[in-house]
Amino acid sequence: VTRGARVAFTAALLAFTLLMLVLTFGLGARSRLIPLVVVIPLAAALGWQLLRDWRGTDPGRQRGSHLTATARAPLTEAPVDASAAPAPWVGKARTSTAIVWIALLPLLATVLGFLLGPALFVLLWARGRGGERPVIAFTAAAVTLAGVYALFTWLLETPIPQGLLLQMLRP
Amino acid sequence: MARNGLALTALSASATASALGSTFGVIVLIGMIPLVARLVPLVGPPEYLLLSIWGLLAIGTIIRGSVIKGLAAAGLGLLVSFIGLDPRTAELRYTFGTLYLQDGLSIVPVFLGLFAMAEVIELGASRRTTISGMSRIQDLAGSVGDGMRAVFRNPVLFLRSSIIGTVVGMVPGLGGSVAAFVAYGEAVRTTPDGRFGEGDVRGVIAPEAAHDAKDGGSLLPTLALGIPANAATAVLLGVMALHGIRPGEELMTTGLPLTFALIWSLFFSNWLTSVAGLAVVRPLARLTLVRTSRLIPPILVLATIGAFAYRGSMTDIWVAFAFGVLGYVMKEQGWSRIAFVMALVLGPLFEANLHLTISLHELGRINVWTRPSALLLAALIVFTMVPTWLRKRHA
């Protein structure tokens, strides 16, 4: 994890906390008492953590990582060559791609409903990410379709959500 | 443990701890039936408050690495738990004008996101071809026997966790999640040499034993006083009401055959699920050898349906996804997800009972200083937490 990523994440948490702090002051006197007791020290702690991340002096993190790495490393293993590790942007790109792929499922389920959405997701994943043959990909999608139908109809006994598209197309 | 190739050991330890934990809970249930009618009324808002404080303080002991990050994660969990109606004034807090947030965030999509989806994102982003990094069942270390033996090799841990589970189960309003987290916290606190979070089997035994031991405990207030301990026992009470069965004195005296029928059905159902679990340990362990690209879609689909099915809300699947991304980043950057969810679960309990205790005390309805159960709990908190904090400080 790069220093920039640590700073960005802590800053985002601090921004969220400050927003909550502002909202807390808008509450009635009796409703805001306990949230204030939590949110003020929290903002201070996050501010302090942000400073440590900014300066690159997070002793807990560094010490913990070092100890964990030492404990994990087999005695016979040669030291890891840092130059052999992939560049940070490779990891970032892989993570972003994974998140985008995973976001596809809630998106498809919301737009196409729970019957078609997951099946289409499985088909796209199997072909696009898994590199499966078309026969396997279509079989997996069909199994998902049948599985979801059975799950909702017999186990949950609830109507399958139809999705925004079908709702819009319905007269 | 699965990543270390120890899925067989983990699954069998989980099934064994569950079966034995539920047996412990059932034995306590049978033994305590005569006493329970006198014990449960002693638990009121001050005791709930102290139990939640105990849980919140336990967060400090389970934090590994940066203490500031751990405490901040717990603070964020508390802050998120405040979303929704104020328990005292019914004023809306942090809802951003949405109807969805008025009931607060549901625990199920948050849990599924922080743990299941975050792990899926990590799997998708990693270069591992399988979870265990192995491709043949012969390559997996550990065995079913190792997992079963691990429970018997840690009798103190097992007993402590089962007691925690049973006691937490008896307290109405606290569920299996609280039992499991408190037991896990205690396991971390009392095991300085443990490598929790990195494949220590004791991290499986403690929550599993507590989670199943709570079933026996939760039947106590339900049958003896008609107070549901959790959602499942609330449903049970509803069914009993439909059949004209009144819990309380009747079930503890003339209705004892029915009471014992319920207890035995609990006992056998828990054993049946554990035996069934042990029977499918090997096929389940094989999942750690399946290509991740084939494993991710079914996990994701099931997690998404699980998030949706709890309340039938499409928004819940987006909440699960958002917390999945949050959980992934928290894990990557060393922020404690356990501290976050413990605070999230205990926050509402703490806040509601703090208000109730203060109000009742001001009205003169209760005196916290003369309640033996509250004083006993306060002493327990001091005796369990202070030595741990001192030990941590010296370390």
Side-chain angles (χ1 to χ4, degrees):
Chain A
V1 179
T2 61
R3 181 172 145 254
R6 278 205 296 272
V7 169
F9 184 60
T10 312
L13 292 179
L14 181 61
F16 170 74
T17 307
L18 291 175
L19 172 68
M20 298 295 251
L21 180 63
V22 172
L23 291 174
T24 308
F25 281 114
L27 296 171
R30 283 163 60 173
S31 301
R32 70 179 173 218
L33 180 67
I34 293 181
L36 273 180
V37 170
V38 173
V39 79
I40 291 173
L42 175 62
L46 286 170
W48 178 246
Q49 182 60 40
L50 184 62
L51 262 179
R52 281 160 43 131
D53 287 339
W54 183 262
R55 289 178 184 160
T57 53
D58 185 355
R61 172 88 187 148
Q62 284 167 2
R63 193 166 56 232
S65 311
H66 171 69
L67 284 176
T68 316
T70 311
R72 276 180 179 168
L75 289 172
T76 51
E77 197 174 82
V80 177
D81 179 12
S83 62
W89 67 267
V90 177
K92 269 187 206 166
R94 224 173 16 234
T95 305
S96 308
T97 312
I99 290 173
V100 169
W101 267 103
I102 287 164
L104 196 61
L105 177 58
L107 185 71
L108 287 172
T110 307
V111 176
L112 298 175
F114 255 103
L115 194 61
L116 291 176
L120 185 59
F121 169 76
V122 169
L123 178 68
L124 292 173
W125 178 283
R127 290 293 292 149
R129 266 305 257 187
E132 304 284 358
R133 286 183 293 137
V135 180
I136 293 178
F138 277 102
T139 309
V143 168
T144 307
L145 194 102
V148 170
Y149 180 80
L151 197 67
F152 273 94
T153 310
W154 290 310
L155 200 70
L156 300 173
E157 293 180 352
T158 51
I160 304 170
Q162 290 186 331
L164 295 173
L165 194 65
L166 273 176
Q167 283 173 10
M168 283 163 62
L169 290 175
R170 200 186 297 156
Chain B
M1 288 184 75
R3 280 186 194 164
N4 297 341
L6 292 167
L8 282 170
T9 309
L11 289 166
S12 53
S14 160
T16 310
S18 293
L20 295 177
S22 73
T23 308
F24 182 90
V26 164
I27 291 169
V28 173
L29 171 65
I30 293 170
M32 293 220 13
I33 279 179
L35 293 170
V36 74
R38 273 180 262 167
L39 274 177
V40 177
L42 297 176
V43 180
E47 287 75 21
Y48 287 129
L49 175 67
L50 286 165
L51 277 169
S52 59
I53 289 173
W54 197 356
L56 289 170
L57 288 174
I59 294 172
T61 65
I62 62 166
I63 293 168
R64 296 286 164 104
S66 168
V67 176
I68 292 181
K69 280 184 177 176
L71 293 177
L76 284 165
L78 274 176
L79 196 56
V80 171
S81 80
F82 294 146
I83 293 173
L85 284 172
D86 181 291
R88 190 184 190 189
T89 61
E91 186 177 353
L92 288 172
R93 296 185 302 199
Y94 315 126
T95 57
F96 300 96
T98 60
L99 191 66
Y100 175 80
L101 289 174
Q102 287 191 7
D103 283 340
L105 277 176
S106 171
I107 297 286
V108 173
V110 173
F111 269 41
L112 280 169
L114 276 177
F115 295 102
M117 288 215 179
E119 296 298 326
V120 168
I121 292 172
E122 196 193 5
L123 264 184
S126 77
R127 281 177 298 178
R128 280 200 311 272
T129 49
T130 64
I131 289 178
S132 58
M134 295 152 193
S135 54
R136 296 180 309 157
I137 189 92
Q138 294 90 332
D139 296 335
L140 292 179
S143 65
V144 176
D146 283 349
M148 293 171 79
R149 278 191 291 275
V151 180
F152 294 100
R153 280 197 195 122
N154 294 283
V156 179
L157 174 77
F158 166 76
L159 271 177
R160 193 190 307 118
S161 306
S162 300
I163 291 168
I164 289 170
T166 311
V167 172
V168 170
M170 282 182 211
V171 182
L174 302 180
S177 314
V178 177
F181 280 126
V182 173
Y184 182 82
E186 272 299 295
V188 175
R189 190 185 69 80
T190 54
T191 320
D193 63 323
R195 293 179 65 197
F196 292 89
E198 293 175 20
D200 195 318
V201 73
R202 288 170 292 191
V204 173
I205 294 169
E208 285 295 334
H211 192 275
D212 278 48
K214 75 110 183 38
D215 291 341
S218 66
L219 268 185
L220 273 170
T222 310
L223 299 180
L225 296 161
I227 300 171
N230 50 40
T233 47
V235 173
L236 177 66
L237 276 180
V239 174
M240 283 163 70
L242 275 176
H243 288 274
I245 301 163
R246 286 173 57 200
E249 196 181 344
E250 188 184 319
L251 273 181
M252 295 293 113
T253 51
T254 52
L256 270 180
L258 178 63
T259 304
F260 275 90
L262 281 168
I263 292 171
W264 285 119
S265 62
L266 171 72
F267 175 77
F268 284 117
S269 65
N270 275 332
W271 268 88
L272 196 68
T273 48
S274 293
V275 170
L278 279 174
V280 293
V281 157
R282 283 195 163 271
L284 284 177
R286 278 179 190 275
L287 287 176
T288 65
L289 307 172
V290 175
R291 268 167 44 191
T292 49
S293 61
R294 288 184 174 177
L295 207 55
I296 289 172
I299 295 175
L300 260 184
V301 170
L302 286 174
T304 308
I305 292 175
F308 169 79
Y310 185 63
R311 293 199 298 193
S313 162
M314 288 301 274
T315 315
D316 278 345
I317 66 174
W318 286 102
V319 170
F321 172 72
F323 274 92
V325 177
L326 178 73
Y328 171 74
V329 181
M330 284 177 85
K331 189 179 179 189
E332 282 290 293
Q333 301 198 13
W335 293 75
S336 172
R337 290 178 296 173
I338 297 283
F340 182 90
V341 292
M342 272 185 84
L344 184 67
V345 169
L346 293 169
L349 194 77
F350 168 77
E351 195 186 9
N353 286 291
L354 177 69
H355 286 311
L356 267 174
T357 305
I358 292 170
S359 300
L360 289 170
H361 193 80
E362 282 171 355
L363 288 169
R365 298 290 299 275
I366 57 166
N367 185 351
V368 179
W369 307 110
T370 56
R371 290 174 74 93
S373 46
L375 294 175
L376 182 72
L377 266 173
L380 267 173
I381 293 171
V382 172
F383 284 123
T384 54
M385 288 299 151
V386 170
T388 313
W389 282 100
L390 288 176
R391 204 163 48 226
K392 266 201 140 185
R393 204 173 160 188
H394 286 304

